[in-house]
Amino acid sequence: MVMEYGYEYDAVLDKELYENSKGQVTHEKFEGAMCLRSGRDALKVVAREFKPTTVLISALACDSMILPFEIYGHKVKYYKLNKDYSINKESLYSFISNEDTAVLFLYMDYFGNKAIEDAELEKLRALHPHLIFIEDRTHNLLVENQYTFKPDFTVASLRKWIDIPDGGLLWTDRELKEKEYSEDLRFSEVRLHAQCMRNEFLQSGDESIKAEYRKIFSTVTDMIDEEKLPGLMSQYAHEKACRINLSEVNEKRRRNAQVLIDELKGVYFVQDKTSLSDVYVAILIENRDAVQKKLASMGIFCTIIWTLNDEQRVACEVAKYTEEHILTIYCDQRHSVEDMKYIASCIRRVCNE
């Protein structure tokens, strides 16, 4: 059996569930949320509710947060972050007009660092009633919410947290005007196939299988980006998600994150606390690309979350520096305490070479 740490989830097909749910999407909710194909699709639902307008997004954002708005004709403007990853209020306010036109404001916390205080959000809502608040909770989906402020929309990618082939969530109390959704399940089917292939590789060590599933994982999201309609979650993914003990998942992630933080003391952390954002543990290091490549050769896969465009890099030095130096370490429920200690020891060794 091959030992690898991190990377995409592998899966064993639940044949009975697959046969009973094949070709079906879900119209049910999950934890009170509408179930979409992905976090990108959740953002598409929000984007199409409004006529083309300005969308304010952090300069530290991946294209999956940007493209859903662009395909619906919105103009994206990037606000700055401070060194502690909070929102630079001067930058944010400079983009908000006093015209009575809806402006969409998307925000998220970075690795437990709160983006903006509740009092500031309340102030913004009072000063600018046309501002639409959208919180992305992908990075802190299962942990305790740091906010008392209630946004207009909350979105998250569920598949980042558990081993389902597809899954995004949307919470809102607003009555949605648009009702049409895609029921295309190709994304789910292809990802599920790749997950099962990865499991086969881990069992057999067949490198030809590895090359094939890696190509699939690297290109499969194109299916979402090429379709304007938001897609619904597969029934297979929904039923799998309903069977998972999320409290147990969260506890294992919190435990693993704490081990990494304890074992990597002395490294410049973006995240230094658990229970605030345990989707990954993030560090900032010099010579990041070389370190990542060396770790991958050891079977330890650390992802680079954000690949920025030139406009984002120019807009914010913090975003640019983070893109160049961040290394995010998987701390999910697949891994044990011993795995975390081993990963940390490898990181220390490679960084000290």
Side-chain angles (χ1 to χ4, degrees):
M1 182 174 178
V2 177
M3 290 302 298
E4 285 189 346
Y5 306 92
Y7 197 64
E8 295 272 5
Y9 288 106
D10 63 296
V12 176
L13 183 68
D14 184 325
K15 293 181 181 179
E16 182 179 357
L17 174 58
Y18 183 77
E19 288 302 320
N20 290 335
S21 63
K22 192 172 182 179
Q24 300 175 44
V25 297
T26 187
H27 297 278
E28 300 174 59
K29 292 194 172 184
F30 182 81
E31 299 292 325
M34 180 181 179
C35 296
L36 287 307
R37 177 174 50 187
S38 68
R40 301 173 195 229
D41 288 289
L43 288 173
K44 285 182 189 178
V45 173
V46 178
R48 71 176 181 174
E49 285 292 297
F50 301 91
K51 294 178 181 178
T53 186
T54 299
V55 184
L56 308 181
I57 298 179
S58 162
L60 188 59
C62 59
D63 61 2
S64 65
M65 299 173 71
I66 299 164
L67 286 174
F69 295 101
E70 290 185 334
I71 66 173
Y72 279 95
H74 300 295
K75 172 63 177 176
V76 176
K77 295 185 179 180
Y78 301 106
Y79 56 80
K80 296 179 183 179
L81 296 176
N82 299 314
K83 288 184 178 180
D84 64 356
Y85 293 93
S86 62
I87 295 173
N88 183 300
K89 289 184 283 187
E90 182 179 351
S91 173
L92 177 65
Y93 274 85
S94 72
F95 291 124
I96 303 174
S97 71
N98 290 318
E99 298 176 15
D100 191 21
T101 303
V103 173
L104 312 185
F105 168 39
L106 177 61
Y107 61 97
M108 63 175 285
D109 292 346
Y110 292 91
F111 303 105
N113 299 285
K114 198 169 184 180
I116 186 168
E117 295 299 326
D118 285 282
E120 192 65 35
L121 289 166
E122 295 289 0
K123 176 183 173 183
L124 279 165
R125 178 167 278 171
L127 288 174
H128 304 284
H130 59 291
L131 200 59
I132 305 298
F133 295 82
I134 311 160
E135 183 185 5
D136 188 327
R137 279 185 54 83
T138 294
H139 282 222
N140 52 356
L141 175 60
L142 298 187
V143 302
E144 185 178 353
N145 193 352
Q146 294 192 75
Y147 293 93
T148 57
F149 178 86
K150 189 170 185 179
D152 298 285
F153 301 93
T154 302
V155 300
S157 174
L158 180 60
R159 65 187 178 90
K160 296 288 196 308
W161 288 82
I162 54 179
D163 63 340
I164 53 176
D166 61 292
L169 303 175
L170 170 67
W171 290 267
T172 184
D173 290 334
R174 297 169 70 104
E175 180 68 30
L176 297 175
K177 294 175 289 187
E178 300 292 337
K179 307 291 186 181
E180 187 179 359
Y181 297 91
S182 169
E183 297 189 6
D184 187 344
L185 290 174
R186 288 177 301 156
F187 173 77
S188 177
E189 293 284 347
V190 172
R191 282 199 84 253
L192 179 58
H193 177 60
Q195 287 180 309
C196 292
M197 288 178 67
R198 181 159 196 261
N199 181 266
E200 184 181 350
F201 162 72
L202 293 175
Q203 300 301 321
S204 69
D206 185 340
E207 289 290 332
S208 65
I209 299 174
K210 182 177 182 178
E212 188 174 347
Y213 75 67
R214 279 181 165 263
K215 182 178 180 181
I216 293 172
F217 280 131
S218 67
T219 59
V220 68
T221 52
D222 293 346
M223 294 180 181
I224 298 174
D225 295 335
E226 290 165 359
E227 184 176 23
K228 191 171 184 179
L229 275 180
L232 295 173
M233 185 190 296
S234 67
Q235 186 69 26
Y236 181 89
H238 182 267
E239 291 197 31
K240 286 276 287 184
C242 289
R243 297 176 184 180
I244 293 172
N245 185 327
L246 296 181
S247 295
E248 184 178 312
V249 168
N250 190 36
E251 178 57 30
K252 287 182 177 179
R253 284 177 173 271
R254 185 207 61 78
R255 177 203 68 194
N256 288 345
Q258 189 63 61
V259 173
L260 283 174
I261 290 169
D262 290 343
E263 294 289 318
L264 289 171
K265 287 194 182 300
V267 176
Y268 182 10
F269 275 96
V270 177
Q271 177 186 345
D272 60 2
K273 299 182 183 71
T274 63
S275 303
L276 296 176
S277 174
D278 297 335
V279 69
Y280 312 103
V281 169
I283 58 176
L284 296 175
I285 56 173
E286 298 298 326
N287 202 23
R288 190 273 315 280
D289 292 346
V291 170
Q292 184 194 38
K293 185 176 181 180
K294 179 67 173 177
L295 289 170
S297 72
M298 303 163 69
I300 299 170
F301 297 98
C302 301
T303 189
I304 299 170
I305 305 173
W306 298 287
T307 301
L308 308 184
N309 61 44
D310 289 340
E311 188 177 352
Q312 290 170 280
R313 296 186 188 104
V314 170
C316 179
E317 282 294 325
V318 172
K320 180 175 182 293
Y321 182 88
T322 302
E323 180 200 22
E324 294 169 349
H325 294 84
I326 197 167
L327 197 66
T328 49
I329 311 161
Y330 287 87
C331 61
D332 60 76
Q333 59 275 19
R334 294 173 291 180
H335 303 112
S336 66
V337 168
E338 290 70 28
D339 292 335
M340 295 294 99
K341 289 182 177 180
Y342 172 71
I343 291 167
S345 69
C346 292
I347 292 172
R348 285 199 308 270
R349 184 166 74 250
V350 171
C351 288
N352 289 331
E353 287 178 351

